[in-house]
Amino acid sequence: MTDGAWVSLFSGGKDSSWALYRALERGYPVERLVTVHPEGDSYMYHVPATQLATLAAESVGVPLLEVEPEDFGADDVPDAGVQGDEELEPLEAALRDLDSELDGGITGLTAGAVESEYQTTRIEAMAERLEAQVFAPLWQEDPRTLAEAMLDAGFEIRLIRVAAYGLDESWLGRTLDADALDDLEALNDEYGVHILGEGGEFETLVTDGPHMDRRIELDYETEWDGTRGTLRIEDAWLE
């Protein structure tokens, strides 16, 4: 599995970062991180603060390829399946170009999918077309066990967007630690909030971890509309 180059589908969030970390831990030769920067909403990709992937890549020490598609128009679509296929096209085109550039081509992709069949089946189909393997170490794992493994490994995870009943403004910028996991488990029991935010309840940014040489520092303001909110990053730098 280590012949040729590996590429990490990377947003800077906890799931893609964990997939990258586990691949590096296994000795897979990850030669590129690839980040898609959706202009608007997206069915396939993590959206908030993807611009910070540049800092994360610098801290990890792996070159970053950035894909900047036009607005997917995901706020109003007649067919979610067709939408997902169309959103994958610019990523697949970028990977085909990268495949021809890397010595030995792309032999594998890392993916941070946990439970989403919608995303996973499309990534697997794309990998098959590229004749590449998929390494998805989070797939179908217990959410609480996964979260605890991330914390035990030394991941520092910040919530940068919340959009679920029970998650108020106080969660914006909060560190995902053991106390936060207990609170999320209680919210899961009461409201069905997914402990890892797999249903879009929240989005995260990994600001430090064992795979990173330097910590990401943030200067931000919170934006809250009464039911959902996000961090407006005003400045970010490596410690």
Side-chain angles (χ1 to χ4, degrees), residues 15 24 26 39 59 63 66 86-87 90 115 121 131-132 146 148 153 155 168 171 188 192 201-202 206-207 225 236:
D15 299 337
L24 294 172
R26 288 190 175 203
E39 189 173 317
S59 182
E66 301 182 81
E86 291 178 350
E87 289 189 12
E115 295 176 2
T121 56
E131 299 182 347
L146 267 176
E148 290 174 346
F155 272 46
D168 59 22
W171 283 87
N188 175 264
E201 293 93 337
F202 60 88
V206 174
T207 51
D225 69 5

Side-chain angles (χ1 to χ4, degrees), residues 1-137:
M1 292 184 68
T2 56
D3 292 337
W6 279 74
V7 171
S8 183
L9 305 181
F10 184 75
S11 69
K14 60 178 173 35
D15 299 337
S16 65
S17 296
W18 183 250
L20 168 64
Y21 166 69
R22 290 296 306 279
L24 294 172
E25 190 179 42
R26 288 190 175 203
Y28 294 172
V30 179
E31 296 190 18
R32 290 290 189 282
L33 310 182
V34 177
T35 300
V36 179
H37 299 286
E39 189 173 317
D41 289 334
S42 170
Y43 277 63
M44 283 296 299
Y45 306 108
H46 171 111
V47 173
T50 57
Q51 71 275 13
L52 297 182
T54 305
L55 284 178
E58 183 179 345
S59 182
V60 172
V62 177
L64 176 69
L65 171 63
E66 301 182 81
V67 181
E68 300 183 347
E70 296 180 356
D71 194 321
F72 292 129
D75 55 342
D76 182 22
V77 299
D79 188 319
V82 171
Q83 179 71 18
D85 294 339
E86 291 178 350
E87 289 189 12
L88 206 62
E89 290 174 1
L91 172 60
E92 185 168 344
L95 290 174
R96 288 192 180 281
D97 289 342
L98 188 59
D99 183 57
S100 65
E101 295 172 12
L102 293 173
D103 187 24
I106 297 174
T107 196
L109 303 173
T110 76
V114 180
E115 295 176 2
S116 173
E117 292 276 359
Y118 180 92
Q119 294 174 323
T120 303
T121 56
R122 286 169 172 77
I123 291 171
E124 288 178 340
M126 178 183 69
E128 186 174 347
R129 292 191 294 271
L130 294 167
E131 299 182 347
Q133 302 169 73
V134 175
F135 177 60

Side-chain angles (χ1 to χ4, degrees), residues 213-226:
D213 290 333
R214 298 163 67 192
R215 184 175 182 273
I216 298 174
E217 296 282 355
L218 302 175
D219 183 14
Y220 61 84
E221 298 289 339
T222 61
E223 295 180 345
W224 179 252
D225 69 5

